């Protein structure tokens, strides 16, 4: 399959750089706009009666009214801010500082028909006061109560606008996060489908994208297809191997049985051939069982069963096969629960553990049970020398046999590996540790349901 490369103009890296650049620009612009937005906005309100009563007598004289110039002190803290005359060469005069900062507000105030007031910075602008067609505007410093009201209004306005910016940026961040995370989430779900054996994971429209995400989705789709083909080939191989190896081994055992005579019974070479044939048959069976478990070729047949009864039946069968182990196998306790699981696989896991314990030790092998709320543990403990701590984690590796010099009875190393795979298939786990009083303790944990 030809690999389709991502073109530079469709690159996700380029898109992310553009997105982050846009975010930085939006953040800077938001800060600038917020600063402008938070600038106090003056609002006109009717002039208070007490202020009008104070200024009206002073501004009722025509001679005094015409003599007032911007910046002149009228009385107390009241000063002239602007003057509009209907005669003379300079009809409009303004205080220079106020004209620069609030020129438009002064013109708006001069256009009012009734006296108004409005806060400007630290002062209060009032007017217009009119006499014979002439108008003036007056200012004075803000009073304590007026200053407090102005500060509170500015603070509330700033909080409201800051909250608006935070919510807006939060919504933008959520949308951006969804845009970035949704493809990744879909890829995770696709990987889980592949892990379960799907050859065609549901990736929606991701493989059609032209960026790196699309390239990754296409690679995942191809990988899933290749894995499915590999699994099918492996299963066919296992089926062929099972047929090709089992049949010759069965014929060899039948031939040995038919040709065995009294003379052969004492022949050490003949006995060695028989043992090797049986051993090879067991090895083939275990390898095939392990492969079937790892490739999901075994279907569970769950049923309700008495775990204690199954364990006792296993002990009886092993004692019947080898009467010499009857005194060594001990079942402890009577409170064994009823569980819902596959009886054959449960027995397979236990049998391999018990046989392993009987094979490596000469003392008793005890089987006990611990019951939890949702699970149960079957504990198989031997009274042998135990295992070195460094090798405990290797016990469940296929074909691990330990030190042949110390374990002259070592088998092929598949019993515990097969039991662990079986426990996983049943939804449980298998662990091993050295018992404080000596010996190895293997714990098979399974769910009750």
């Amino acid at each position: 399959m030809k690999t389709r490369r991502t073109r530079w103009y469709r690159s996700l890296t380029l898109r992310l750089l553009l997105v982050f650049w846009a975010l930085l620009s939006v953040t800077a612009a938001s800060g600038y706009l917020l600063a402008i937005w938070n600038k106090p906005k003056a609002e006109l309100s009717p002039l208070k009666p007490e202020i009008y009563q104070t200024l009206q007598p002073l501004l009722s004289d025509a001679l005094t009214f015409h003599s007032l110039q911007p910046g002149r002190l009228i009385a107390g803290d009241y000063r002239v801010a602007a003057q509009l005359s209907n005669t003379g060469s300079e009809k409009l005069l303004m205080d220079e500082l106020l004209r620069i900062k609030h020129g438009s507000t002064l013109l708006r105030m001069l256009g009012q028909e009734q006296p108004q007031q409005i806060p400007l910075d630290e002062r209060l602008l009032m007017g217009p006061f009119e006499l014979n067609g002439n108008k003036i505007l007056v200012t004075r410093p803000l009073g304590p109560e007026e200053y407090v009201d102005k500060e509170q209004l500015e603070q509330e306005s700033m909080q409201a606008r800051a909250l608006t910016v935070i919510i807006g940026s939060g919504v933008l961040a959520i949308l951006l996060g969804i845009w970035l995370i949704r493809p990744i989430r879909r890829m995770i779900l696709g990987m889980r489908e592949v892990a379960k054996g799907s050859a065609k994971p549901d990736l929606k429209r991701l493989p059609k994208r032209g960026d790196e995400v699309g390239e990754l989705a296409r690679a995942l789709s191809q990988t899933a297809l290749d894995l499915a083909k590999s699994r099918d080939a492996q299963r066919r191989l296992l089926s062929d191997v099972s047929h090709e190896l089992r049949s010759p081994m069965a014929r060899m055992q039948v031939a040995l049985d038919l040709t065995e005579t009294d003379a052969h019974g004492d022949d050490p070479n003949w006995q060695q051939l028989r043992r090797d044939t049986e051993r090879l048959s067991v090895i083939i069976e275990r390898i095939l069982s392990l492969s079937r478990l790892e490739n999901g070729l075994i279907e569970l047949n769950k049923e309700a069963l008495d775990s204690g009864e199954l364990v006792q039946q296993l002990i009886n069968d092993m004692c019947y096969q080898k009467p010499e182990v009857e005194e060594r196998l001990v079942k402890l306790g009577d409170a064994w629960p009823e569980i819902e699981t596959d009886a054959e696989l449960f027995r397979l896991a236990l049998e391999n553990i018990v046989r392993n314990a009987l094979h490596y030790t000469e003392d008793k092998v005890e089987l006990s049970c611990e019951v939890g709320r949702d699970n149960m543990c079957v504990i198989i403990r031997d009274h042998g020398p135990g295992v070195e701590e460094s090798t405990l984690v290797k016990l469940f590796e296929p074909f691990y046999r330990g030190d042949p010099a110390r374990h002259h009875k070592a088998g092929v190393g598949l019993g515990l590996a097969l039991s662990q795979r079986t426990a996983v298939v049943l939804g449980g786990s298998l662990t091993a540790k050295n018992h404080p009083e000596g010996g190895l303790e293997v714990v098979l944990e399974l769910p009750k349901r």
Side-chain angles (χ1 to χ4, degrees):
M1 179 179 177
K2 185 177 179 181
T3 303
R4 191 173 71 186
R5 298 293 181 181
T6 302
R7 300 192 180 263
W8 69 270
Y9 55 85
R10 292 184 175 180
S11 172
L12 184 63
T13 303
L14 179 60
R15 293 184 183 182
L16 290 178
L17 288 176
L18 292 176
V19 167
F20 291 140
W21 174 79
L23 284 177
L24 290 175
S25 300
V26 170
T27 302
S30 298
Y32 177 75
L33 293 176
L34 185 61
I36 296 178
W37 197 11
N38 283 327
K39 187 176 181 180
K41 294 182 179 180
E43 296 183 359
L44 295 174
S45 60
L47 185 65
K48 293 182 179 180
E50 57 270 22
I51 297 177
Y52 184 81
Q53 294 175 1
T54 301
L55 293 177
Q56 185 61 29
L58 300 175
L59 301 176
S60 59
D61 181 66
L63 183 61
T64 303
F65 195 94
H66 289 294
S67 65
L68 295 178
Q69 298 292 324
R72 179 177 175 180
L73 186 65
I74 301 177
D77 294 327
Y78 291 94
R79 292 181 179 274
V80 178
Q83 181 187 45
L84 179 63
S85 303
N86 54 9
T87 58
S89 59
E90 296 184 2
K91 295 185 177 181
L92 177 62
L93 297 175
M94 297 183 182
D95 183 271
E96 189 64 22
L97 183 60
L98 291 177
R99 184 187 66 81
I100 296 174
K101 297 181 63 177
H102 306 288
S104 60
T105 304
L106 294 176
L107 292 176
R108 184 170 57 146
M109 287 284 288
L110 289 171
Q112 300 297 316
E113 296 182 358
Q114 298 293 330
Q116 306 285 323
Q117 65 180 34
I118 185 173
L120 298 179
D121 297 334
E122 306 296 328
R123 305 187 67 84
L124 183 66
L125 178 65
M126 298 159 286
F129 297 96
E130 185 176 359
L131 183 64
N132 299 328
N134 301 313
K135 297 181 179 180
I136 64 170
L137 301 178
V138 180
T139 65
R140 69 163 173 79
L142 291 174
E145 295 182 359
E146 295 169 339
Y147 188 81
V148 171
D149 294 340
K150 177 176 175 293
E151 290 292 328
Q152 184 177 0
L153 181 62
E154 291 179 357
Q155 185 177 5
E156 292 176 355
S157 176
M158 181 179 295
Q159 291 175 351
R161 292 163 183 172
L163 183 61
T164 302
V165 173
I166 291 174
I167 294 176
S169 60
V171 171
L172 181 62
I174 291 174
L175 295 177
L176 178 61
I178 293 175
W179 180 71
L180 291 174
I181 296 301
R182 284 188 65 185
I184 298 177
R185 179 63 179 171
R186 174 49 54 188
M187 297 288 288
I188 293 174
L189 296 177
M191 288 295 295
R192 290 175 179 173
E193 292 178 14
V194 173
K196 292 179 180 179
S198 174
K200 295 181 179 180
D202 184 15
L203 299 177
K204 302 300 182 184
R205 297 180 57 84
L206 291 184
K208 297 182 179 180
R209 291 179 53 157
D211 55 12
E212 290 85 350
V213 173
E215 188 174 349
L216 179 59
R218 291 189 292 273
L220 177 58
S221 298
Q222 184 62 38
T223 301
L225 185 60
D226 294 342
L227 286 175
K229 293 179 179 179
S230 176
R231 283 193 300 267
D232 292 340
Q234 187 177 19
R235 290 172 180 175
R236 288 193 299 269
L237 177 62
L238 287 175
S239 178
D240 295 341
V241 168
S242 174
H243 181 269
E244 296 299 330
L245 290 180
R246 282 180 171 180
S247 298
M249 289 304 303
R251 290 194 296 268
M252 288 175 63
Q253 289 179 342
V254 171
L256 287 173
D257 291 337
L258 292 175
T259 58
E260 185 175 7
T261 63
D262 293 339
H264 291 149
D266 297 330
D267 187 352
N269 295 325
W270 185 269
Q271 297 299 327
Q272 183 64 43
L273 178 60
R274 176 175 288 279
R275 288 194 298 270
D276 288 343
T277 304
E278 293 176 353
R279 179 180 176 84
L280 184 58
S281 178
V282 172
I283 291 174
I284 293 173
E285 182 63 31
R286 288 190 175 182
I287 291 176
L288 293 175
S289 298
L290 182 61
S291 298
R292 283 194 292 267
L293 284 173
E294 290 181 334
N295 289 278
L297 298 179
I298 295 180
E299 294 184 1
L300 295 181
N301 183 22
K302 293 186 179 182
E303 57 180 327
L305 58 91
D306 188 332
S307 60
E309 182 178 342
L310 185 143
V311 170
Q312 186 60 53
Q313 184 63 48
L314 173 63
I315 294 175
N316 295 339
D317 292 345
M318 297 184 73
C319 292
Y320 178 80
Q321 183 181 5
K322 292 184 176 181
E324 63 271 17
V325 302
E326 184 174 355
E327 299 296 329
R328 295 177 57 194
L329 278 177
V330 179
K331 174 190 171 187
L332 302 178
D334 297 323
W336 290 72
E338 182 178 284
I339 63 175
E340 184 178 340
T341 188
D342 189 297
E344 292 300 325
L345 291 182
F346 184 26
R347 179 185 171 114
L348 174 65
L350 283 178
E351 185 173 355
N352 281 289
I353 301 171
V354 174
R355 288 187 183 278
N356 192 76
L358 292 172
H359 184 75
Y360 280 90
T361 65
E362 302 293 340
D363 298 319
K364 288 185 177 182
V365 176
E366 300 172 346
L367 289 84
S368 59
C369 175
E370 291 183 0
V371 183
R373 179 179 179 182
D374 299 317
N375 61 354
M376 67 162 293
C377 295
V378 180
I379 303 171
I380 302 95
R381 181 203 169 188
D382 62 51
H383 291 266
V387 179
E388 293 183 3
E389 295 293 333
S390 59
T391 62
L392 278 175
V393 295
K394 300 180 181 179
L395 291 178
F396 304 107
E397 296 179 2
F399 302 105
Y400 177 75
R401 301 175 58 188
D403 186 359
R406 297 182 58 187
H407 303 287
H408 60 280
K409 296 182 179 181
V412 295
L414 287 174
L416 291 180
L418 182 58
S419 294
Q420 187 191 48
R421 302 300 194 278
T422 305
V424 173
V425 171
L426 294 176
S429 62
L430 188 65
T431 57
K433 64 180 179 179
N434 287 312
H435 195 277
E437 298 179 3
L440 182 67
E441 186 177 81
V442 181
V443 180
L444 173 62
E445 181 179 354
L446 295 176
K448 289 183 181 179
R449 297 289 184 269

